[in-house]
Amino acid sequence: MGKIKFAASEYCFPIWGSLAMEMAKEAGFDGMEITDGGGYLQPHPLNNGYVEYERLGLDLRREDSFPLTDEYVQNDYMEAAAKNGIELIGLKLHLLETQGFIKAPKETLAGRECIETIDKAIAAAKAMHIPAVTLSARGLFGVFQQEYAYEKLLYAAEAGEDNGIKIYVATEIAAEKQIAAIDSLGRRVKLDFHTIDPETCNTGDPSEMIRQIGRDRIGWFRIRDLKADREGFLTEETAGNTLLGQGDSKFKECAEAIKEIGFDGWVLSDTAYYSSDLNPVGGDYETLLAKDVETLQHVFDRKGRNSYGKI
C-alpha cells in the first residue's frame, strides 16, 4: 500500500474558511478540499430565490458570482492553510449541481453558464496552487444527460491540461460505466470515488467496484458512513448521519479494498460534522473530527497523533 493521507471536505463543517482549517488541523487531518464559495448551500440573501427555483427544477444564474475568483478571498484561504499546515488539495464545484451540467448542451444558456463556472474554478485553483477541481455528474439517468455531462467533462479535461489542473468527476453510475467514461476521455479525468454512493444508489458493492475500477482511474476516495433507516435501507433521504465506522455501510470493506489495490493518495472524510444527528445541541465539533481521524488512522494502518493526544 502506498502513502495514504487524510483530508477533510470543507462543506462538511459547521463553519467554512479559516476556522474549518483550524478545526481540521486540531483533529489531525493533513489537507482540505474547499468548495466554490458555497455553491448553492451558502445562505447569501440573494440566493434564497435561486435555491427555491432550483428545488422546482429551474435553472437560474446565481446572484453572488464566484467568490473564489476574488484575490482577497484567495489570499485568505492560502494564508489560513499556511498558518495551520493544511494542504489545499482540491476545489469541489457544488454550483454545477444546480446548473445545466447534465441537463443542457454546452451551446445553450445553461450550458454556457456551466462552462463559465468550470473556467472560473480552474482559474481560481491555478491562482491558489490547488492541484485538482472536482465536477459532479450525478443523476445520469438518460442518454442525453450522459452526453451533456461528457461534452463538458471533455472541455474541463482540455482546460485543466492547459492550466496544469487535474480534473476529477464524482458520479454514482455502475462500475462498468465509470470505467468506460474514464477510458473514453483518455484517462485525462479521474474518479472522485465516493464509497457510499453505490450503496445509496444501489449500483453495486463499493468494495468490489474499487477493485474492478482499479487505482489508475481513481484520483482519490471520499468516505462516508451512514446508519440504516428503520427498514434497514441506506438512502440519501432516510439514512442517519454518523461517524466513520459507526454506521451500517461497507466502510471497513472499502478501506480494505483501497489498501488492496495499493492506492497512494488522499482519502477524504465526507462525514456531515454539521449534522444534528452527530451534535444535536452544537459545540465540541472538534471531538467528532478527532474521532474520525483516529478511525481512519486505525483502518488504514497509519500511526498519527492529533492535538488531543489520540493515536
Side-chain angles (χ1 to χ4, degrees):
M1 184 181 71
K3 171 66 173 176
I4 296 289
K5 297 180 288 184
F6 305 132
S9 303
E10 183 188 27
Y11 61 82
C12 291
F13 283 67
I15 296 176
W16 298 353
S18 58
L19 182 57
M21 287 189 217
E22 291 177 21
M23 295 168 71
K25 178 62 176 179
E26 286 288 309
F29 283 106
D30 307 304
M32 176 172 285
E33 178 199 46
I34 65 172
T35 18
D36 49 357
Y40 68 91
L41 300 177
Q42 280 289 68
H44 302 140
L46 293 175
N47 285 340
N48 293 335
Y50 183 91
V51 175
E52 179 64 16
Y53 280 116
E54 160 58 20
R55 187 181 69 80
L56 297 174
L58 303 175
D59 290 307
L60 292 176
R61 178 178 292 273
R62 276 165 55 95
E63 298 288 346
D64 62 345
S65 186
F66 196 91
L68 286 179
T69 56
D70 187 312
E71 187 176 350
Y72 182 90
V73 177
Q74 293 173 357
N75 288 336
D76 185 69
Y77 268 102
M78 291 189 290
E79 289 169 7
K83 176 183 176 182
N84 292 287
I86 289 289
E87 187 173 345
L88 297 180
I89 68 167
L91 194 167
K92 184 173 175 62
L93 281 174
H94 274 296
L95 182 52
L96 283 183
E97 297 185 24
T98 66
Q99 292 182 314
F101 189 73
I102 67 170
K103 302 175 186 176
K106 64 180 183 180
E107 295 81 11
T108 63
L109 174 60
R112 291 197 300 272
E113 290 176 1
C114 291
I115 297 299
E116 180 185 30
T117 296
I118 292 169
D119 285 339
K120 288 180 177 179
I122 290 174
K126 185 175 182 179
M128 299 171 71
H129 311 292
I130 295 174
V133 170
T134 290
L135 286 62
S136 178
R138 300 165 62 84
L140 298 176
F141 301 118
V143 174
F144 288 115
Q145 290 178 332
Q146 294 176 33
E147 290 181 2
Y148 298 155
Y150 180 87
E151 66 178 6
K152 298 183 192 73
L153 278 173
L154 180 59
Y155 175 87
E158 294 171 348
E161 270 188 336
D162 291 342
N163 290 276
I165 302 298
K166 301 172 186 175
I167 300 298
Y168 296 160
V169 60
T171 183
E172 74 274 63
I173 57 179
E176 296 82 359
K177 292 183 178 180
Q178 293 194 36
I179 291 170
I182 296 303
D183 290 352
S184 67
L185 289 162
R187 298 196 183 181
R188 288 178 291 176
V189 173
K190 290 195 174 185
L191 292 169
D192 176 332
F193 190 92
H194 202 318
T195 59
I196 201 69
D197 278 350
E199 296 192 80
T200 58
C201 300
N202 195 30
T203 53
D205 181 322
S207 61
E208 291 305 315
M209 289 176 67
I210 290 168
R211 296 183 179 93
Q212 184 178 352
I213 293 169
R215 63 177 290 181
D216 293 337
R217 297 184 182 91
I218 297 174
W220 59 40
F221 289 93
R222 193 178 301 270
I223 292 186
R224 185 180 181 187
D225 205 349
L226 291 173
K227 283 190 177 293
D229 62 21
R230 294 178 181 177
E231 297 179 342
F233 295 111
L234 288 175
T235 73
E236 287 284 354
E237 296 77 19
T238 63
N241 290 303
T242 187
L243 293 176
L244 298 176
Q246 297 184 15
D248 301 298
S249 76
K250 295 183 180 295
F251 161 67
K252 293 181 179 178
E253 292 89 337
C254 287
E256 289 303 313
I258 291 169
K259 291 189 289 185
E260 186 179 312
I261 66 173
F263 179 72
D264 183 352
W266 291 100
V267 171
L268 284 70
S269 166
D270 211 55
T271 300
Y273 300 112
Y274 58 82
S275 172
S276 60
D277 290 342
L278 302 178
N279 199 337
V281 295
D284 198 19
Y285 294 100
E286 293 90 342
T287 297
L288 300 176
L289 290 155
K291 287 180 179 178
D292 262 5
V293 172
E294 184 179 13
T295 299
L296 287 168
Q297 290 168 346
H298 175 72
V299 299
F300 285 103
D301 309 316
R302 198 190 100 175
K303 292 183 179 180
R305 184 181 297 275
N306 55 40
S307 64
Y308 297 90
K310 294 180 179 179
I311 298 294

